[in-house]
Amino acid sequence: MGFLDGKCLFCEISAGRMPAEKVCEEEDVIVIRDIAPQAPVHLLVIPKEHVSSAAEVQNPEVWSKAMDCAVRTARRLGLESEGYRLVVNCGEQAGQTIPHLHIHLLAGRSFRWPPG
């Protein structure tokens, strides 16, 4: 799942070859709305550089740019006062369905702990 004719779905979206509802686009990161939202606000913060999972990140700038964009997006959308959750799934058993690093930005409802 997550590949179209051998191509990564998130790479195709980042390159503009697949449609998505973009919330924000920067030089190295894109933010889109999740097509199967799990909260009133459910965004995906996606580095444009293809890295298959959190376990595969070799350049720490990928993390810093993506996390910085996630926090700035939450701030720009006014999510700070009520709170928001950032989630990174790593691997199939953890719920990663697209093999491209991405951060889920969730808000707009109460979340329980522990998750899952």
Side-chain angles (χ1 to χ4, degrees):
M1 189 181 220
F3 283 93
L4 306 166
D5 296 326
K7 297 178 183 169
C8 171
L9 175 63
F10 287 166
C11 287
E12 293 294 296
I13 289 171
S14 293
R17 293 186 291 265
M18 287 289 296
E21 189 177 342
K22 292 180 187 177
V23 173
C24 172
E25 183 167 8
E26 299 180 353
E27 183 178 345
D28 299 307
V29 182
I30 187 170
V31 180
I32 65 172
R33 294 202 184 280
D34 193 297
I35 62 168
Q38 302 300 305
V41 176
H42 188 167
L43 307 177
L44 303 176
V45 181
I46 307 165
K48 290 183 178 180
E49 177 182 332
H50 181 83
V51 179
S52 61
S53 73
E56 301 299 318
V57 175
Q58 299 201 9
N59 179 356
E61 285 190 23
V62 171
W63 276 118
S64 65
K65 289 177 181 180
M67 278 296 187
D68 182 57
C69 182
V71 171
R72 285 185 290 105
T73 299
R75 187 177 302 129
R76 192 177 73 251
L77 295 175
L79 303 175
E80 289 178 308
S81 64
E82 294 294 319
Y84 57 91
R85 180 172 282 181
L86 299 174
V87 176
V88 178
N89 299 319
C90 183
E92 196 173 313
Q93 191 169 350
Q96 183 181 5
T97 58
I98 305 291
H100 185 120
L101 176 68
H102 56 287
I103 302 164
H104 295 260
L105 170 55
L106 301 138
R109 68 172 175 84
S110 292
F111 297 99
R112 297 182 329 166
W113 193 260

